[in-house]
Amino acid sequence: MADPAAKETINIDMEPVGRHVRIEAGSTLLAAAQKAGVELIAICGGSGTCSSCLVRLVSGELSPPTLVETGALNREEIEAGYRLACQAVPLSNTRIYIPPDSFTTPQRLQIEGLEAEVALDPIIETVDLKIDPPSLNDLRADTTRVNDTLVERGLEPAEIPLELLTRLSESLRAGDWFVRLALRRGEIIACLERENSPLGLALDIGTTSLAAYLVDLAVGRTLARSGTMNPQIAYGEDVISRIHFAGSKDGRQKLQTTLIDAVNGLSHGLCEEANVSRERIVEVVAVGNTAMHHLFAGLPVKQLGMAPYVPAVSDPLDLRACEIGIDLAPGACIYLPSNIAGFVGADHVAVLLANDIGKSSGRVVALDIGTNTEITLASDGRLLSCSCASGPAFEGAHIHDGMRAAPGAIERIRIDGERIHLQTIKNQPPVGICGSGILDAVSEMLDAGILNNNGSLEKNSPLVRTNQDNQAEFVLVPSSISAHGRDIIITRKDINEIQVAKAAIRAGIEILLKEAGIGFSELDEFIVAGAFGTYLDIKSTIRTGMFPPLPVSRFRQVGNAAGMGAKQMLVSAGKRRDAVEIAGKVDYIELTIHPDYMDIFLKAMYF
Amino acid sequence: MADPAAKETINIDMEPVGRHVRIEAGSTLLAAAQKAGVELIAICGGSGTCSSCLVRLVSGELSPPTLVETGALNREEIEAGYRLACQAVPLSNTRIYIPPDSFTTPQRLQIEGLEAEVALDPIIETVDLKIDPPSLNDLRADTTRVNDTLVERGLEPAEIPLELLTRLSESLRAGDWFVRLALRRGEIIACLERENSPLGLALDIGTTSLAAYLVDLAVGRTLARSGTMNPQIAYGEDVISRIHFAGSKDGRQKLQTTLIDAVNGLSHGLCEEANVSRERIVEVVAVGNTAMHHLFAGLPVKQLGMAPYVPAVSDPLDLRACEIGIDLAPGACIYLPSNIAGFVGADHVAVLLANDIGKSSGRVVALDIGTNTEITLASDGRLLSCSCASGPAFEGAHIHDGMRAAPGAIERIRIDGERIHLQTIKNQPPVGICGSGILDAVSEMLDAGILNNNGSLEKNSPLVRTNQDNQAEFVLVPSSISAHGRDIIITRKDINEIQVAKAAIRAGIEILLKEAGIGFSELDEFIVAGAFGTYLDIKSTIRTGMFPPLPVSRFRQVGNAAGMGAKQMLVSAGKRRDAVEIAGKVDYIELTIHPDYMDIFLKAMYF
């Protein structure tokens, strides 16, 4: 263990890609990225003239900024921790954050989902008004004038929020007293130019990634979609570490601001793409797990991080966009649907909504795999939900050569005797293994007899070798083929991480089935939502025992169903009511106090 | 006119005291203040060691900061225009603003009024709740838990604004789930410690001065009161010049911020005085003229500055205090009562409310004299209101030796033959003349035959002299007696300013009486509200013709009735309804388009 050579190496964590690499002291961050197979833009070849390999120090110590850096970056940037990767040399174990623009190829994000046609049932009504201008014989205030005109049209007078009041007088005059008003729940929330329809934004705020959809509310059409990493990753990979960070000085504020900035960036990009003004966006629906929901709205998360893990708020929440710093129409509102529990959030409600769970009569399981996996079983009119701490293994963390689903990640594996067939994202030379790849690997290793039912590697297999600590490891990619010239291996510890993750999920499913008093074979449908779920090989999930052995035809991989549910709630008041009903109907099962959980979990550890 | 010596003098305007002085080039600002009789603190005698004579440059050019100043002031202060008066030498005509702490004696502010007992009819209800804490068998969200407990107590579930949501979880746990909630219109707006009653703040936002009252809402008792100058004065003395300034870049924002800062300062001081936490203040009622109302709330004022002068909003407005940067309880609300018209604001509604105008059956005039004078006539169940542009003469502006009601201002004058008796504020040596003094002077000069009915000075009077431009002027105080060693005089132009002001007010009264079809002798009561009105000598107002010749016993000087009305609306929902009713009942008469106005106005110019 006490290897004297280890003193001269330094560990580098790279976010948001989730790559960990050990480098020799004295190497630059750019060299570290190259060694890890993370493709930073470095047009100038590392001479410091292109300033494109911008990174941000999250923790650890770097060499002082060079003259090249003080020339290329301003004081604010340097104070905020920005550096050029080709210049900065780590002096200690270091974590850096790589902004999206510094990558040559973007990380794969799941923003598509199976879109169901939803009848418009608008939250926002528009009304076109021709208003009498003021004169010395008609001295009514501007707002009185607007409301009187609404009443003349047979409508109710409306409240006007302060944000719009500060601009309404100007808008009325700019439009020569002929305007289109956007009405919402008895309020006038925007004064649009009369040829413009109101727009909406659906947001899926994941722990790892964000997805956004720009929708024309008049017709329900999606104008543009976009995704990005959740930049909070710089402050912690999973929900628990972010809750912990939120407890530090200004931590909650930092997490909120960084997220809000990213959402503003997304909406800005979407509007540019669709060539529309951001001031036309009048309504947002945002879904996320309960912690993301709370951090987005600025709510406290401390109580989410300690037993009994209760949310501050579980009912739907209506916010003014400007209250939390989201730049849209001045009076724009944000609707946050119900949460179910501390670890079953509005994103899961959106998944259930988008898949009509609870409306159909069948027996259905729906789950969304992540660091936490939320599972719901619909059976005989009941909805049972739970949350499993499945850990970050499927996102590539805690796996020796794990990584997120970025270019070069191995996502499919077939073992054919001693030959190993790989498929990588974007067909790049292999860098590491992402979640679907590691599950494939385990499944194939079981079939090939490399792995036994306990999760032990068969040391007799020609593909298994013994390392210096006398531990068995499986060589998936030899150094001659990998992008970085090192072996890509799967260790006993990696297998154990997968065992824990898949056992947690399986145990969650089993507990729900047990509570409902049905067997898995009675399930009509098994819905797998979310980015990771989309790329899974169902046969591997069954072979590893993560999912029950149903016929493959009963499985349905639905992509970003949470985003689709958010879009439905953006255009339909009825869908919002349905979501409230779904959330209210759910019986939440707390697994950690369920008497059978530990037995089932331990049994599910075997393959 | 082209006096070569004049090149070597410089004009200095001093705000908020409204003193104008001409100094020799090369003099310091401290010397200018001393010459003008404005008492700046200068403990060190002007050597620059005490740093107490802090002033702020508003416009004009000063000598560069001296080493003394760069040592005493930080960079931000110097960039914001702060200087030491003993160091800075004006290089051009200059306007400076003197912060309250730099005066030896404060300006006189009217914060008292005749207080009527008002029955409590609370806007804020409190309820003490003992809430079941969460457990693994009771996972309800914090807000659900609170609302369930309200329902158990037979109350309606309540909305919770975001500002409180961000803190509620912590407050509930800090109070060990036993808390006092403040409820307002179906919302929980504060979570108080269980021994604390909710507090309220009544604000009277005048163009010149601010008055604030801290009230215990549980008992309706005033805990503390305070006043200060409206610091917006630095950007313009009257409403019109501020509306103009609001149109400049960031002008509206600057005017709002400067006012909000002053209100925060007032509430901070009141809470210190009463030894209570600002977070206990849950409700504010703020009244002011329509422009102050709009600038306080951040509403546009451009349309107030051009015909037909309509408000953006005239209905009552409920704001969240934090929306406009007022620091109180997180969910605290601000109630802004109705405005009547662009130049008859909520402060006048508050005056009418505090004096039961519109409820009693008598014929009553109520007016509040300022740069604009708002007048209401109640007669036979009708309420008629108008606004007169009476100008700033009564606030000491545009008068040769005019000043605001600060120490040394002449406020009472009796002329007895050739002897002149003076009374100054705080019995200080005379510096200039404030509004009540100038009106007294005119009245006495008429009686003494120094002034004729046209407003011309009698050149034969021994007290009248002819200046170098061959203009007659009345020497009120010879240089031997005045604080600054210069004569205090009243010019023909000063008399004209007073003629215009008093004629505007009288014409307004006459038009209202004419519209109601009654004569002035039929008036039962004549109510004079506001700071200036309190210090007026009623006999002088009648002698000059500003007010009609009623018996003095029918006049009632009620002090800051606007503030009293605001306090009533703070503790009584019924009074708020009354105020809405009053504002709705008023027929507003626009004088500028009234066919008889000009005739009556011109006739009223005579004494």
Side-chain angles (χ1 to χ4, degrees):
Chain A
M1 292 298 240
D3 174 3
K7 281 184 190 158
E8 296 180 349
T9 63
I10 285 175
N11 290 316
I12 310 293
D13 288 351
M14 285 175 228
E15 298 297 351
V17 283
R19 280 296 290 156
H20 312 291
V21 70
R22 177 173 288 196
I23 58 167
E24 280 178 29
S27 304
T28 63
L29 285 174
L30 183 61
Q34 285 163 344
K35 184 169 180 193
V38 174
E39 299 193 21
L40 286 185
I41 301 180
I43 301 163
C44 69
S47 67
T49 55
C50 74
S51 304
S52 56
C53 59
L54 197 69
V55 300
R56 186 162 61 75
L57 179 66
V58 177
S59 63
E61 197 187 345
L62 299 177
S63 56
T66 64
L67 284 176
V68 167
E69 290 176 283
T70 52
L73 306 173
N74 63 34
R75 202 180 62 179
E76 287 72 26
E77 287 171 323
I78 287 177
E79 277 172 6
Y82 282 98
R83 299 295 300 270
L84 296 182
C86 67
Q87 302 292 312
V89 175
L91 304 178
S92 71
N93 290 343
T94 293
R95 170 178 288 228
I96 59 166
Y97 175 75
I98 306 169
D101 288 348
S102 299
F103 286 108
T104 51
T105 41
Q107 183 143 0
R108 185 171 69 187
L109 297 167
Q110 174 68 29
I111 56 172
E112 298 301 326
L114 296 173
E115 197 152 359
E117 277 291 314
V118 174
L120 289 182
D121 178 3
I123 286 86
I124 309 290
E125 306 274 358
T126 58
V127 55
D128 294 343
L129 291 188
K130 183 88 195 78
I131 300 162
D132 290 333
S135 70
L136 279 169
N137 295 310
D138 176 3
L139 294 169
R140 288 172 297 163
D142 291 344
T143 56
T144 308
R145 197 171 294 280
V146 168
N147 268 322
D148 288 351
T149 314
L150 282 178
V151 171
E152 282 163 24
R153 288 279 294 272
L155 298 163
E156 291 288 313
E159 301 274 317
I160 307 175
L162 180 63
E163 300 72 35
L164 182 57
L165 282 179
T166 61
R167 313 227 208 148
L168 185 63
S169 296
E170 201 176 335
S171 301
L172 291 170
R173 287 166 178 83
D176 204 16
W177 300 93
F178 185 12
V179 291
R180 173 167 292 177
L181 299 180
L183 302 173
R184 181 192 197 268
R185 291 178 63 186
E187 273 192 344
I188 301 170
I189 59 160
C191 180
L192 302 167
E193 289 171 38
R194 53 188 186 268
E195 65 275 11
N196 281 342
S197 56
L199 305 180
L201 194 67
L203 286 176
D204 175 23
I205 304 174
T207 312
T208 305
S209 61
L210 311 176
Y213 309 83
L214 180 67
V215 177
D216 185 332
L217 295 178
V219 292
R221 198 162 59 88
T222 303
L223 302 179
R225 51 176 66 81
S226 177
T228 188
M229 299 301 292
N230 184 335
Q232 290 180 337
I233 283 177
Y235 301 108
E237 283 193 325
D238 55 35
V239 162
I240 295 295
S241 58
R242 290 195 214 159
I243 290 173
H244 181 76
F245 181 81
S248 65
K249 186 172 170 334
D250 300 330
R252 202 167 108 198
Q253 181 67 47
K254 267 184 210 157
L255 288 171
Q256 187 186 24
T257 306
T258 201
L259 179 55
I260 298 292
D261 287 350
V263 169
N264 280 331
L266 272 178
S267 77
H268 185 77
L270 288 172
C271 289
E272 280 211 333
E273 188 186 330
N275 194 25
V276 297
S277 155
R278 262 211 281 194
E279 302 231 330
R280 280 177 61 188
I281 303 180
V282 296
E283 182 81 7
V284 179
V285 171
V287 301
N289 61 53
T290 308
M292 290 305 115
H293 166 287
H294 279 36
L295 289 172
F296 180 64
L299 302 179
V301 291
K302 192 176 165 194
Q303 78 293 342
L304 280 180
M306 50 194 196
Y309 317 106
V310 294
V313 180
S314 58
D315 288 333
L317 210 53
D318 260 314
L319 308 178
R320 198 75 60 187
C322 62
E323 280 187 292
I324 58 169
I326 300 283
D327 297 328
L328 304 171
C333 292
I334 301 178
Y335 181 80
L336 300 169
S338 311
N339 293 312
I340 293 172
F343 285 90
V344 184
D347 52 352
H348 191 62
V349 175
V351 167
L352 301 180
L353 180 76
N355 290 286
D356 269 338
I357 310 290
K359 280 216 161 173
S360 61
S361 57
R363 289 166 169 171
V364 183
V365 159
L367 50 69
D368 196 340
I369 301 172
T371 310
N372 273 279
T373 298
E374 299 91 10
I375 314 173
T376 290
L377 167 65
S379 172
D380 303 313
R382 290 179 71 193
L383 289 178
L384 300 170
S385 295
C386 67
S387 168
C388 322
S390 41
F394 292 133
E395 283 167 355
H398 299 189
I399 299 292
H400 188 280
D401 281 306
M403 68 181 288
R404 294 213 181 81
I410 299 165
E411 58 171 347
R412 279 277 180 282
I413 294 163
R414 288 291 167 264
I415 302 178
D416 179 10
E418 289 184 20
R419 286 191 58 189
I420 301 174
H421 303 273
L422 303 177
Q423 180 185 316
T424 65
I425 295 176
K426 301 261 181 195
N427 290 317
Q428 299 284 305
V431 176
I433 320 170
C434 67
S436 57
I438 190 92
L439 203 74
D440 256 20
V442 170
S443 169
E444 291 289 305
M445 286 160 76
L446 285 166
D447 280 347
I450 300 166
L451 206 58
N452 69 20
N453 285 354
N454 298 329
S456 297
L457 287 159
E458 292 293 348
K459 293 196 179 177
N460 300 333
S461 163
L463 296 172
V464 174
R465 70 183 183 198
T466 304
N467 70 9
Q468 56 203 17
D469 295 328
N470 202 31
Q471 297 288 315
E473 54 190 34
F474 172 72
V475 182
L476 184 62
V477 181
S479 57
S480 56
I481 297 175
S482 75
H484 39 56
R486 288 179 294 109
D487 294 341
I488 297 175
I489 60 172
I490 294 174
T491 68
R492 176 66 185 91
K493 190 179 149 296
D494 294 345
I495 303 292
N496 190 251
E497 292 281 344
I498 296 300
Q499 282 179 292
V500 170
K502 70 108 185 175
I505 293 171
R506 181 61 178 268
I509 298 167
E510 295 286 339
I511 295 282
L512 295 186
L513 289 168
K514 197 176 168 91
E515 285 289 316
I518 63 169
F520 66 79
S521 59
E522 293 172 77
L523 290 174
D524 299 307
E525 199 169 29
F526 196 104
I527 293 171
V528 186
F532 171 59
T534 306
Y535 296 104
L536 275 180
D537 184 331
I538 292 296
K539 287 196 287 291
S540 295
T541 66
I542 296 173
R543 177 64 186 89
T544 54
M546 183 163 87
F547 292 166
L550 292 167
V552 171
S553 61
R554 292 203 202 159
F555 288 87
R556 196 151 60 92
Q557 289 165 287
V558 295
N560 186 3
M564 297 307 104
K567 268 163 76 173
Q568 293 185 0
M569 288 185 271
L570 188 58
V571 298
S572 165
K575 287 290 177 185
R576 292 191 186 182
R577 288 191 297 273
D578 289 350
V580 170
E581 201 183 309
I582 288 170
K585 236 172 102 177
V586 165
D587 285 325
Y588 174 74
I589 313 285
E590 176 57 46
L591 292 182
T592 55
I593 57 166
H594 194 283
D596 299 330
Y597 179 73
M598 199 42 72
D599 280 355
I600 295 176
F601 172 76
L602 289 176
K603 216 175 286 169
M605 287 281 283
Y606 294 98
F607 289 114
Chain B
M1 292 298 246
D3 175 3
K7 281 184 189 160
E8 296 180 350
T9 64
I10 286 174
N11 290 315
I12 311 293
D13 287 350
M14 286 175 227
E15 297 298 352
V17 284
R19 282 296 290 153
H20 312 290
V21 70
R22 178 173 289 195
I23 57 167
E24 281 179 27
S27 305
T28 64
L29 285 174
L30 183 61
Q34 287 162 344
K35 184 169 179 192
V38 173
E39 298 193 23
L40 284 186
I41 301 180
I43 302 165
C44 69
S47 67
T49 56
C50 75
S51 304
S52 56
C53 60
L54 196 69
V55 301
R56 186 161 62 75
L57 179 67
V58 177
S59 63
E61 197 187 345
L62 299 176
S63 56
T66 64
L67 284 176
V68 167
E69 289 176 282
T70 53
L73 307 173
N74 63 33
R75 202 181 61 180
E76 287 73 24
E77 287 171 322
I78 288 178
E79 278 173 5
Y82 282 98
R83 300 295 299 270
L84 297 181
C86 67
Q87 301 292 313
V89 175
L91 305 178
S92 71
N93 291 343
T94 293
R95 170 177 288 227
I96 60 166
Y97 175 76
I98 306 170
D101 289 347
S102 299
F103 285 109
T104 53
T105 42
Q107 181 143 3
R108 186 171 69 186
L109 296 167
Q110 175 69 28
I111 56 172
E112 299 301 326
L114 297 173
E115 197 153 358
E117 277 291 314
V118 173
L120 289 182
D121 178 3
I123 285 86
I124 308 290
E125 306 274 358
T126 58
V127 56
D128 293 343
L129 290 189
K130 181 89 194 78
I131 300 162
D132 290 333
S135 70
L136 279 170
N137 294 310
D138 177 0
L139 295 169
R140 287 172 298 164
D142 292 344
T143 56
T144 308
R145 198 170 293 281
V146 168
N147 268 324
D148 288 352
T149 313
L150 282 178
V151 171
E152 282 162 25
R153 289 278 294 275
L155 298 164
E156 291 289 313
E159 301 275 317
I160 308 175
L162 180 63
E163 300 72 35
L164 182 57
L165 282 179
T166 61
R167 312 228 208 149
L168 185 65
S169 296
E170 201 176 336
S171 300
L172 291 170
R173 286 166 180 82
D176 204 16
W177 300 93
F178 186 11
V179 291
R180 173 167 292 177
L181 300 181
L183 302 173
R184 180 192 199 268
R185 290 178 65 185
E187 272 193 344
I188 301 170
I189 59 160
C191 180
L192 302 167
E193 289 171 39
R194 53 188 186 264
E195 64 275 14
N196 282 341
S197 56
L199 305 180
L201 193 68
L203 285 176
D204 175 22
I205 303 173
T207 312
T208 304
S209 63
L210 311 177
Y213 309 83
L214 180 66
V215 177
D216 185 333
L217 296 178
V219 292
R221 198 162 59 88
T222 302
L223 303 179
R225 51 176 67 80
S226 178
T228 189
M229 300 301 292
N230 184 335
Q232 289 180 337
I233 282 177
Y235 301 108
E237 284 192 326
D238 56 33
V239 162
I240 295 296
S241 58
R242 290 194 214 160
I243 290 172
H244 181 75
F245 181 80
S248 66
K249 187 174 167 339
D250 299 330
R252 200 168 109 198
Q253 181 66 47
K254 268 185 209 159
L255 288 171
Q256 187 184 24
T257 306
T258 202
L259 179 55
I260 298 292
D261 287 349
V263 169
N264 279 330
L266 273 178
S267 77
H268 185 77
L270 288 172
C271 289
E272 280 209 335
E273 188 186 332
N275 194 25
V276 297
S277 155
R278 260 210 284 195
E279 303 232 328
R280 279 176 61 188
I281 303 181
V282 296
E283 182 81 7
V284 178
V285 171
V287 301
N289 61 52
T290 308
M292 290 303 117
H293 166 286
H294 279 36
L295 290 172
F296 181 64
L299 302 179
V301 291
K302 191 175 165 194
Q303 78 293 341
L304 280 179
M306 51 194 196
Y309 316 106
V310 293
V313 180
S314 59
D315 289 333
L317 210 53
D318 260 316
L319 307 180
R320 197 75 61 186
C322 62
E323 279 187 292
I324 58 169
I326 300 282
D327 296 329
L328 305 172
C333 291
I334 300 178
Y335 181 80
L336 300 168
S338 312
N339 293 312
I340 293 172
F343 285 90
V344 184
D347 52 353
H348 190 62
V349 175
V351 167
L352 301 180
L353 180 75
N355 290 287
D356 270 337
I357 310 290
K359 281 216 160 173
S360 62
S361 57
R363 288 167 170 170
V364 184
V365 160
L367 50 69
D368 196 340
I369 301 171
T371 311
N372 274 279
T373 297
E374 300 91 10
I375 314 173
T376 291
L377 167 65
S379 172
D380 303 312
R382 288 180 74 193
L383 289 178
L384 299 171
S385 296
C386 68
S387 168
C388 320
S390 41
F394 292 133
E395 284 167 354
H398 299 190
I399 299 292
H400 189 280
D401 280 306
M403 67 181 289
R404 294 214 181 82
I410 300 165
E411 58 172 347
R412 280 276 179 282
I413 295 162
R414 287 291 167 264
I415 301 178
D416 178 10
E418 288 185 20
R419 285 191 59 191
I420 301 173
H421 304 274
L422 303 177
Q423 179 186 316
T424 65
I425 295 177
K426 302 259 181 198
N427 291 317
Q428 298 286 304
V431 177
I433 321 169
C434 68
S436 57
I438 191 93
L439 203 73
D440 257 20
V442 170
S443 169
E444 292 290 306
M445 287 159 77
L446 286 165
D447 280 347
I450 300 165
L451 205 58
N452 68 22
N453 286 354
N454 299 329
S456 297
L457 288 158
E458 292 293 347
K459 294 196 178 178
N460 300 331
S461 164
L463 296 171
V464 174
R465 70 182 184 199
T466 302
N467 69 9
Q468 58 202 16
D469 296 330
N470 202 31
Q471 296 291 312
E473 55 190 34
F474 173 72
V475 183
L476 184 64
V477 181
S479 57
S480 56
I481 297 175
S482 75
H484 38 56
R486 288 179 294 108
D487 295 340
I488 297 175
I489 59 171
I490 294 175
T491 67
R492 176 67 185 91
K493 191 180 149 295
D494 295 343
I495 303 293
N496 190 251
E497 292 281 343
I498 296 300
Q499 282 179 291
V500 169
K502 69 108 186 174
I505 293 170
R506 181 62 178 268
I509 297 166
E510 296 286 341
I511 294 282
L512 295 187
L513 290 168
K514 197 176 168 90
E515 284 291 315
I518 63 171
F520 65 79
S521 59
E522 294 172 77
L523 289 174
D524 300 306
E525 198 169 31
F526 196 105
I527 294 171
V528 185
F532 172 60
T534 306
Y535 297 104
L536 275 179
D537 184 333
I538 292 296
K539 287 197 286 293
S540 295
T541 64
I542 295 173
R543 177 65 186 90
T544 55
M546 183 164 86
F547 292 165
L550 292 168
V552 170
S553 61
R554 292 203 204 158
F555 287 87
R556 196 151 60 91
Q557 289 166 288
V558 295
N560 185 3
M564 296 308 104
K567 267 163 75 174
Q568 294 184 0
M569 286 185 271
L570 188 57
V571 298
S572 166
K575 287 290 177 185
R576 292 191 187 182
R577 287 191 297 273
D578 289 351
V580 170
E581 200 184 309
I582 288 169
K585 238 171 102 176
V586 165
D587 284 325
Y588 174 74
I589 313 286
E590 176 57 44
L591 292 182
T592 55
I593 56 165
H594 194 283
D596 299 328
Y597 179 73
M598 199 42 70
D599 280 354
I600 296 177
F601 172 77
L602 289 175
K603 216 176 288 170
M605 286 281 284
Y606 295 96
F607 290 114

